[in-house]
Amino acid sequence: MAEAITVARPYAQAAFMYASDQQAYKDWSDMLSLLAAIADDTAMHELIDSPHLTETQLADLFIQVAGDNINAGGANFVRVLATNRRLKLLPEIAALYEIQRRAAEGVVQAELVTAFPASEAQQSEVVASLSKRLGRDIELSCTTDAALLGGAIIRAGDLVIDGSVRGKLERLGSALNH
């Protein structure tokens, strides 16, 4: 997996630089998301690996499936990926592109994991606190995990705040063992 990310990174950076020059972050985000979904399709996986299709045929197939949702720059990007046999990397490329896009737009993706569903007020409080602490806008996604017992875990980039009961019990147990 790390190798795929390493190989995908220059392509994501190239897409980001092109999107930046065109001031088309959202368009490229949508295109890459669609292309990643196409590449993730089981039938498409088989075609990507097929020795019976040339790089040009494979690129044309991707472009045809994407239809009107891809512009000339996106089509050229697909052709470059096909020529270099990197179409399978589209999910990683799309994910890396999104990270760069959010950073450029001053947005941090954060995750709130709670034992029970968080209320709108609690979510707003987390967003306000993280925004103040990180100095950026926050996009918050919420999930529940009953194994936490209570409290919450917040992940935002490299920052992890574990205020869960399970986390506190684990830290207490570790402290008692040492």
Side-chain angles (χ1 to χ4, degrees), residues 124-140:
S124 296
E125 188 175 328
V126 168
V127 167
S129 296
L130 282 176
S131 182
K132 182 177 178 182
R133 182 172 181 170
L134 300 175
R136 294 184 159 185
D137 292 334
I138 305 296
E139 277 184 15
L140 186 67

Side-chain angles (χ1 to χ4, degrees), residues 19-169:
S20 180
D21 290 344
Q22 303 297 314
Q23 293 297 309
Y25 292 127
K26 178 76 170 112
D27 293 342
W28 272 84
S29 183
D30 293 343
M31 279 191 297
L32 288 173
S33 177
L34 173 64
L35 291 169
I38 293 169
D40 250 354
D41 182 69
T42 307
M44 193 59 82
H45 265 282
E46 292 175 17
L47 290 173
I48 291 171
D49 290 333
S50 173
H52 303 295
L53 290 176
T54 66
E55 291 89 2
T56 303
Q57 290 171 324
L58 201 52
D60 290 343
L61 179 62
F62 262 77
I63 293 165
Q64 184 180 12
V65 170
D68 293 336
N69 298 313
I70 188 170
N71 63 25
N76 188 47
F77 188 68
V78 168
R79 286 186 185 97
V80 169
L81 290 174
T83 300
N84 294 317
R85 290 286 187 193
R86 302 291 192 229
L87 287 170
K88 274 192 173 179
L89 295 176
L90 275 163
E92 288 84 3
I93 292 168
L96 290 168
Y97 173 87
E98 284 303 313
I99 291 168
Q100 288 185 315
R101 185 189 91 157
R102 284 190 179 101
E105 293 175 342
V107 177
V108 174
Q109 179 73 34
E111 178 186 21
L112 173 63
V113 182
T114 55
F116 304 99
S119 69
E120 290 293 325
Q122 290 168 327
Q123 291 177 32
S124 296
E125 188 175 328
V126 168
V127 167
S129 296
L130 282 176
S131 182
K132 182 177 178 182
R133 182 172 181 170
L134 300 175
R136 294 184 159 185
D137 292 334
I138 305 296
E139 277 184 15
L140 186 67
S141 62
C142 299
T143 58
T144 58
D145 181 0
L148 295 181
L149 303 175
I153 297 174
I154 301 168
R155 294 182 187 97
D158 293 337
L159 174 68
V160 177
I161 302 170
D162 187 350
S164 67
V165 172
R166 181 182 69 188
K168 290 178 182 178
L169 289 173

